[in-house]
């Protein structure tokens, strides 16, 4: 059984993430999308861990061999605990590569795990959750970059923030 993990913060999930997860689901028997739920980073997030998990579960529903899980601590520990030998990462640009190479080498020095890089689809090469949030905050149209259920929650959360507080 070839099992892989697609890790990330997914704050929120974008069409770029879904593209990588769906392509990974064709390469591996099972794919676990693992969301970092590190409490120390919670205040930096727009969505709570539960909200991010819920959106990812909706996004991954069309792929029967994909499941969603939260993880705290080291990704390599999660891999060991779940019998996972492959980490799948999307590469958008050379700027991603420097960091991802270092991380891949560190992870394989810690446990028996390989990192598999999947090149971004050209239409998503500029896409990152942080940029989606920034553009949406200033009223830009991100409807082609995230699924409709994410757009709905994003619009609501940003409106709450602008009104001063709820959901923070
Ligand atoms: P962000 O989306 O802000 O980069 P994440 O931590 O949620 O942050 O991303 C998780 C992983 O998903 C990234 O490390 C990268 O491998 C992949 N990824 C994210 N966006 C894209 C994209 N547009 N194309 C390809 N891979 C992507």
């Amino acid at each position: 059984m070839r099992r892989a993990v697609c890790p990330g913060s997914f704050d929120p999930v974008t069409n770029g993430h879904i593209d990588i997860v769906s392509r990974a689901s064709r390469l591996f028997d099972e794919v676990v999308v693992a969301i970092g739920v590190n409490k120390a980073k919670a205040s930096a997030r727009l969505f709570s861990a539960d909200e991010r998990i819920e959106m990812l579960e909706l996004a991954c529903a069309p792929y029967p061999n994909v499941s969603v899980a939260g993880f705290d601590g080291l990704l390599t520990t999660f891999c060991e605990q779940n019998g996972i030998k492959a980490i799948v990462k999307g590469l958008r640009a050379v700027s991603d590569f420097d960091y991802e190479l270092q991380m891949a080498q560190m992870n394989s020095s810690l446990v028996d795990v390989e990192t598999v890089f999947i090149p971004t689809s050209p239409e998503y090469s500029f896409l990152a959750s942080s940029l989606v949030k920034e553009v949406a905050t200033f009223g830009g149209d991100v409807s082609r970059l995230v699924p409709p259920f994410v757009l709905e929650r994003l619009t609501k959360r940003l409106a709450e923030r602008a009104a001063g507080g709820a959901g923070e």
Side-chain angles (χ1 to χ4, degrees):
M1 176 76 77
R2 289 167 305 151
R3 187 179 285 161
V5 63
C6 291
S9 43
F10 306 100
D11 184 39
V13 59
T14 69
N15 291 342
H17 293 127
I18 297 169
D19 177 54
I20 296 296
V21 170
S22 71
R23 289 160 67 197
S25 76
R26 296 198 291 269
L27 296 174
F28 294 90
D29 299 313
E30 267 182 33
V31 173
V32 182
V33 181
I35 308 182
V37 296
N38 192 337
K39 286 198 175 62
K41 290 187 182 167
S43 61
R45 307 282 181 225
L46 184 60
F47 293 100
S48 70
D50 286 347
E51 290 169 331
R52 286 180 282 139
I53 288 172
E54 191 194 336
M55 286 185 274
L56 260 175
E57 280 176 343
L58 288 171
C60 296
Y63 312 104
N65 61 336
V66 177
S67 60
V68 179
F71 79 99
D72 204 354
L74 285 179
L75 177 63
T76 47
T77 306
F78 180 85
C79 289
E80 275 192 314
Q81 286 169 345
N82 292 279
I84 293 172
K85 300 273 186 228
I87 299 170
V88 173
K89 300 300 295 269
L91 278 186
R92 283 163 288 200
V94 179
S95 50
D96 276 350
F97 183 76
D98 277 347
Y99 176 73
E100 293 296 351
L101 177 66
Q102 190 180 14
M103 189 57 89
Q105 292 170 335
M106 172 59 87
N107 285 338
S108 70
S109 80
L110 294 173
V111 299
D112 178 22
V113 69
E114 288 291 349
T115 298
V116 177
F117 294 116
I118 297 184
T120 183
S121 297
E123 65 265 43
Y124 301 130
S125 62
F126 60 91
L127 190 48
S129 298
S130 52
L131 208 48
V132 165
K133 287 182 281 192
E134 198 173 324
V135 170
T137 299
F138 295 104
D141 178 9
V142 295
S143 60
R144 276 165 301 163
L145 308 180
V146 295
F149 51 85
V150 172
L151 183 66
E152 192 183 309
R153 288 165 171 79
L154 182 61
T155 308
K156 187 164 171 266
R157 178 56 43 84
L158 291 174
E160 286 167 356
R161 289 237 161 154
E168 284 191 72

